[in-house]
Amino acid sequence: MSKPTLLLIDDEERILRSLRMLFFSGYKVHMTTDPQEAIRILREERVHVIVSDQRMPLMQGSELLSLAREASPATMRILLTGYSDLDASIASVNEGEVFRYLMKPWDAEEVKKVVAEAAAIAEASFAVQMHTDISVDTASARSRVLIMDHDESTARTVHETLGDRCEIIWASDAQHAMEELAKQDVSVVVSDLMLGETNVGYILKTIKQLNPQTQCIVVTSFNDTSRLIELINQAQITRFLPKPVSKNLLARNLESMLERFHAVRNQPALQNRQAVAPISDPKEKIQAGNFLGMLGRLRARMGA
Amino acid sequence: MQQATQTGKEIFSLINTIDAISPDCSLEDVAAFFTHPQYSKLLSLPVVEEGRPVGMISRYRFMDIYLKRYARELHGKRPIRKFINGKPLLVELDQPLAVAARHVLANMQFPLTEDFIVTQGGRYLGVGFVMDLLHAMEQQMRANTMELEQANSQLKSSQLALVQSEKMASLGQMVAGIAHEINTPLGYVQNNVAIGQELFQQVQSMIAGYEALVDDLLDEQATEAQIAAQMQQIAERRADVNVQEMLGEMQGLMEDSLYGIAQISELVLNLKNFSRMDAAATEAVNLNECIESALNIGRTVLKDRVEVIKELGDIPKISCAPSQLNQVFLNLFTNAAQAMEGLGKLHIKTWSSESAVHISVADNGKGIPEEILTRIFDPFFTTKPVGEGTGLGLAITHQIIQKHGGEIHVDSRVGEGTCFHIKLPVVTSILMHQPAASEAAT
């Protein structure tokens, strides 16, 4: 394989020069401070990975990445920013659909590793057509939707939107969610971040490790930027909708995430595009380990 | 309920459990009671029939009757019922103290000849002394006063806390901005050092290769094959990395790094300058410096989309609290930036008149509607969404300017922009610093 192509965008040229040097040997590196130029490059050339700053005078990074998604869907998108603001991180999930949200100052080795991983995933997905026609038989296997939210309105919207096509499970606590997951994987998860007293972040992260095809929608009134960034990197949540969320918005996202699930299932090469980073929080790591262990035992018992 | 038991307690503490007398008691018996030690403190004796108070007989009235000539002989055997005051002062147990006191004060007679009866549900409980009641009342009022004083001082300190929290809120915003500002140079400096470290190792091993070759060449014992192998090794390394090119690039990265470090130092220095002085400390300061300092700190809010036009005139130093005025300017600048959607212009002007320094801060933002223009300096008035603004920014600005003996005015047109004009006296401010200046002025 020839060298993968990397596109770097930042309004500070010194950042660009520094990053270029980091990828000097293994990549073909393009860099620019101009978002329009970046889009032009994406259209003209096959770019494996785009790494963008968030706060730039001409265009926000999340907006640029969302344009990049249209111009070159197979390109893996990474945000590299020194400014963690909630709106920016929400936009980077919902519009930018970023693979990783990285912070400045960055760890050189980590960034190298993430970009290398992204480049390999991009290479694999170039071979696959990204926009497959989703007239595939969605009925072949009934999709399952797992709700982890005590908010009744969320459950009602899910029922009204997908009730005729999917099996819908409304889990009241972590134990219940686990039992359902033990039976069979789910297609879409709609979850708040808190389920009663339980912080369900580790469950979302585990679900994604269990089955990368599952699409996660988070609906919550919790506004914690650093937790959101963790969920982007370690759970690859695909939508983050702040509560109160309008019925239409949730319904629209349910439809598109169900579609996404089928697309990924039909093209397994795509599922790595949502590969997760390892869980960083030590407590969550233990929780996730326990969850996986118990789930494994449950599944073994059911299979027996 | 809580209130009732609380007030019940207040009256309860006033009760003296006294055995009441029957209305059928004869005057002779009553005379004996009045001399009995149990009743020695009483002004009057309670008269109770079937558990309910029917009246009071006071010492005063009793003497009036009983000390008359032949009274003992005439009335001694007669029941007291005929002689009692049938409308004694009654206080219900669960009445609030204040209500009871009001009732007693309104109905007692002068000179004070009777105590009052405490009842519960109309039934006799005991006797209370008017003086005790008034005393209790006084104590309660004293406690109330203390409570009021406490509430007052609490209000004062919570106002201070609010002012502080406004400071912290704007500080928080600022810190987030500055963190970003620092993270950018920190990002490339750190990365450059990491790259340099790796390059250093490569150069080290390269030099080791060359040195080994030189050693071989100088060594008469070395064989052709040995030398060839060494050269081969070096050639491979050279094919692997172009050290010359890398070193050339690295030179640039070093320069970038120094630039980045200078930037970080400047930011840190700005922060230090900004918060250096105690809130109250006054010194002679050129306000142009405060403005520059606030612009530096507020750069993150402004830089992306606001063009700053400065017309800073030659103005005299004034004696003031620079950190407070920094806060004023930063507040005005960030407000202006928030009022401008998209690109905007911020026009900052300073000039001096005979005895004052003037500052104007004008933006071409969305302007302030006339109906709220008079309220913008009011504490807690805000147009920002809940949680974003404390509504104290301009109130504090106003307060700081007033404390400095100055004035602040606003002029705004919707759709065109807003201009704040600040006027600070040169002389008065110096006066508070140097009392001797008044002599010089005459």
Side-chain angles (χ1 to χ4, degrees):
Chain A
M1 149 180 160
S2 59
K3 284 183 180 181
T5 306
L6 182 59
L7 173 56
L8 308 169
I9 302 102
D10 200 301
D11 61 333
E12 169 60 271
E13 279 186 52
R14 292 176 187 83
I15 292 269
L16 293 176
R17 283 205 285 272
S18 182
L19 281 173
R20 182 183 58 179
M21 190 68 170
L22 192 66
F23 296 106
F24 194 69
S25 50
Y27 297 82
K28 180 181 176 197
V29 182
H30 289 289
M31 56 183 210
T32 175
T33 54
D34 176 7
Q36 297 303 334
E37 167 78 1
I39 297 295
R40 192 187 57 74
I41 296 171
L42 279 170
R43 288 220 173 90
E44 287 174 3
E45 224 178 299
R46 173 176 277 193
V47 174
H48 290 70
V49 184
I50 173 171
V51 179
S52 172
D53 185 19
Q54 171 61 20
R55 248 192 156 196
M56 297 180 288
L58 298 171
M59 194 188 282
Q60 297 287 293
S62 46
E63 192 187 342
L64 171 63
L65 292 182
S66 137
L67 291 175
R69 220 176 93 202
E70 281 169 31
S72 169
T75 301
M76 296 296 281
R77 297 168 293 273
I78 294 172
L79 202 65
L80 177 63
T81 176
Y83 196 80
S84 46
D85 103 325
L86 188 71
D87 291 341
S89 20
I90 292 178
S92 77
V93 182
N94 296 343
E95 291 154 37
E97 295 193 352
V98 297
F99 176 62
R100 291 291 180 269
Y101 190 113
L102 302 176
M103 300 297 293
K104 289 175 188 168
W106 61 91
D107 177 73
E109 284 311 306
E110 192 202 338
V111 170
K112 261 176 152 171
K113 216 175 79 192
V114 168
V115 169
E117 190 188 353
I121 293 168
E123 181 67 28
S125 36
F126 284 140
V128 183
Q129 216 195 330
M130 293 291 294
H131 292 305
T132 36
D133 190 12
I134 322 278
S135 58
V136 267
D137 52 331
T138 49
S140 64
R142 212 162 143 77
S143 307
R144 304 178 91 213
V145 179
L146 174 67
I147 306 165
M148 292 194 289
D149 185 354
H150 285 171
D151 199 337
E152 206 186 323
S153 64
T154 308
R156 202 180 313 126
T157 307
V158 176
H159 271 284
E160 283 169 16
T161 316
L162 302 175
D164 53 337
R165 279 167 287 166
C166 303
E167 180 191 350
I168 291 163
I169 305 134
W170 191 7
S172 53
D173 54 33
Q175 181 65 31
H176 186 182
M178 186 195 298
E179 282 161 12
E180 290 297 335
L181 283 166
K183 284 186 207 158
Q184 201 188 329
D185 281 335
V186 294
S187 326
V188 178
V189 179
V190 183
S191 176
D192 198 336
L193 289 182
M194 295 301 286
L195 200 56
E197 299 283 289
T198 319
N199 177 352
V200 297
Y202 78 93
I203 303 183
L204 295 177
K205 293 173 187 177
T206 324
I207 288 176
K208 204 64 187 172
Q209 286 180 0
L210 214 59
N211 182 4
Q213 296 173 352
T214 306
Q215 304 298 315
C216 295
I217 302 177
V218 169
V219 281
T220 187
S221 47
F222 280 88
N223 291 332
D224 182 334
T225 314
S226 57
R227 272 185 71 193
L228 172 55
I229 293 171
E230 249 187 35
L231 286 170
I232 295 172
N233 293 335
Q234 296 163 26
Q236 274 287 295
I237 57 170
T238 23
R239 288 293 180 269
F240 185 93
L241 310 173
K243 275 183 182 175
V245 55
S246 87
K247 205 174 137 181
N248 281 342
L249 183 69
L250 180 56
R252 207 164 56 234
N253 281 296
L254 280 166
E255 292 283 5
S256 66
M257 286 309 111
L258 188 64
E259 221 167 80
R260 175 81 56 90
F261 167 77
H262 287 295
V264 175
R265 207 180 46 168
N266 291 329
Q267 298 283 7
L270 297 182
Q271 77 179 31
N272 280 341
R273 297 184 62 83
Q274 290 181 8
V276 291
I279 297 174
S280 56
D281 184 82
K283 195 178 133 211
E284 276 195 342
K285 217 185 268 182
I286 295 169
Q287 282 178 311
N290 290 343
F291 191 84
L292 269 175
M294 278 152 80
L295 198 63
R297 285 194 291 280
L298 265 178
R299 283 191 169 174
R301 208 186 309 156
M302 284 176 178
Chain B
M1 283 310 287
Q2 188 78 31
Q3 192 68 20
T5 44
Q6 172 74 31
T7 48
K9 259 187 204 158
E10 287 172 352
I11 302 289
F12 188 80
S13 66
L14 299 174
I15 297 176
N16 301 280
T17 29
I18 301 289
D19 296 327
I21 59 172
S22 153
D24 299 325
C25 245
S26 68
L27 265 67
E28 272 178 3
D29 292 342
V30 173
F33 282 138
F34 269 123
T35 55
H36 193 281
Q38 192 200 346
Y39 300 116
S40 63
K41 276 183 166 175
L42 294 182
L43 289 175
S44 56
L45 292 179
V47 184
V48 171
E49 191 168 33
E50 290 170 357
R52 295 187 178 274
V54 292
M56 272 282 202
I57 177 71
S58 66
R59 274 177 208 277
Y60 183 79
R61 181 162 167 71
F62 187 78
M63 297 300 169
D64 201 29
I65 302 161
Y66 207 59
L67 290 183
K68 285 205 172 110
R69 190 172 290 199
Y70 307 118
R72 287 171 200 232
E73 291 75 11
L74 279 173
H75 309 303
K77 302 288 180 205
R78 295 176 66 182
I80 193 71
R81 191 191 297 271
K82 292 268 161 55
F83 304 96
I84 59 177
N85 169 15
K87 287 188 176 160
L89 286 167
L90 295 178
V91 167
E92 259 296 303
L93 180 70
D94 58 4
Q95 260 178 346
L97 192 61
V99 174
R102 219 177 300 140
H103 172 70
V104 168
L105 277 173
N107 296 292
M108 73 185 197
Q109 282 168 355
F110 286 102
L112 194 57
T113 58
E114 287 187 15
D115 305 307
F116 61 89
I117 293 174
V118 182
T119 57
Q120 185 175 27
R123 300 191 70 82
Y124 174 79
L125 275 186
V127 173
F129 303 138
V130 172
M131 289 314 288
D132 285 355
L133 177 66
L134 295 181
H135 188 63
M137 194 57 214
E138 191 204 333
Q139 262 181 338
Q140 196 183 53
M141 279 173 65
R142 205 175 296 152
N144 282 351
T145 315
M146 257 165 64
E147 253 170 55
L148 278 175
E149 270 168 10
Q150 244 169 16
N152 187 30
S153 77
Q154 256 167 14
L155 266 177
K156 268 188 194 158
S157 67
S158 64
Q159 191 199 1
L160 257 176
L162 272 171
V163 170
Q164 197 63 24
S165 86
E166 158 66 23
K167 240 180 179 171
M168 293 311 287
S170 48
L171 202 71
Q173 253 178 8
M174 231 169 61
V175 166
I178 286 169
H180 173 253
E181 199 88 332
I182 287 181
N183 279 341
T184 297
L186 199 58
Y188 62 78
V189 169
Q190 185 175 307
N191 197 50
N192 291 350
V193 172
I195 292 168
Q197 198 179 25
E198 207 185 303
L199 184 60
F200 182 75
Q201 277 162 359
Q202 284 170 336
V203 169
Q204 233 177 356
S205 84
M206 207 68 139
I207 289 174
Y210 285 123
E211 280 186 339
L213 178 63
V214 171
D215 286 346
D216 279 354
L217 286 173
L218 293 176
D219 187 356
E220 283 169 12
Q221 317 248 297
T223 62
E224 285 291 320
Q226 235 179 336
I227 293 170
Q230 191 62 44
M231 284 178 76
Q232 175 65 26
Q233 216 180 8
I234 290 171
E236 273 167 23
R237 275 195 195 142
R238 284 183 62 176
D240 219 23
V241 245
N242 185 341
V243 170
Q244 284 301 332
E245 192 185 350
M246 295 278 272
L247 283 175
E249 287 283 331
M250 199 61 220
Q251 186 105 36
L253 294 194
M254 290 292 195
E255 275 162 31
D256 283 354
S257 299
L258 286 175
Y259 178 88
I261 288 169
Q263 266 214 315
I264 295 172
S265 313
E266 196 194 317
L267 279 163
V268 172
L269 189 73
N270 275 331
L271 264 183
K272 232 168 76 187
N273 280 344
F274 199 78
S275 57
R276 179 175 45 126
M277 313 81 169
D278 292 332
T282 58
E283 54 185 285
V285 171
N286 186 327
L287 289 184
N288 287 344
E289 285 167 21
C290 289
I291 288 170
E292 293 284 4
S293 177
L295 275 175
N296 266 327
I297 293 292
R299 189 161 50 174
T300 51
V301 193
L302 300 170
K303 83 161 180 191
D304 289 353
R305 47 193 191 83
V306 179
E307 186 194 344
V308 180
I309 304 155
K310 286 183 284 187
E311 270 183 76
L312 304 184
D314 190 13
I315 53 174
K317 286 186 176 181
I318 68 165
S319 177
C320 61
S323 67
Q324 291 187 359
L325 289 175
N326 282 344
Q327 198 188 342
V328 164
F329 295 136
L330 181 67
N331 185 249
L332 291 181
F333 298 162
T334 48
N335 277 351
Q338 282 161 356
M340 294 183 274
E341 288 156 353
L343 301 172
K345 278 185 186 161
L346 181 66
H347 198 140
I348 306 166
K349 233 167 111 176
T350 59
W351 68 97
S352 60
S353 62
E354 208 168 305
S355 59
V357 172
H358 301 259
I359 306 102
S360 76
V361 177
D363 66 55
N364 61 350
K366 56 185 172 222
I368 306 167
E370 211 181 313
E371 60 269 24
I372 62 169
L373 201 56
T374 51
R375 298 173 60 198
I376 58 166
F377 293 112
D378 292 352
F380 306 112
F381 179 78
T382 180
T383 54
K384 293 174 195 168
V386 175
E388 270 182 39
T390 57
L392 286 175
L394 280 175
I396 290 170
T397 293
H398 189 251
Q399 198 182 21
I400 290 173
I401 297 299
Q402 270 196 328
K403 261 202 246 165
H404 282 79
E407 294 165 23
I408 178 165
H409 297 289
V410 61
D411 191 14
S412 185
R413 254 166 235 211
V414 173
E416 288 179 28
T418 303
C419 177
F420 284 92
H421 174 217
I422 294 174
K423 182 178 166 192
L424 287 166
V426 179
V427 178
T428 333
S429 322
I430 288 173
L431 273 179
M432 50 184 216
H433 203 59
Q434 299 170 322
S438 56
E439 288 165 30
T442 51

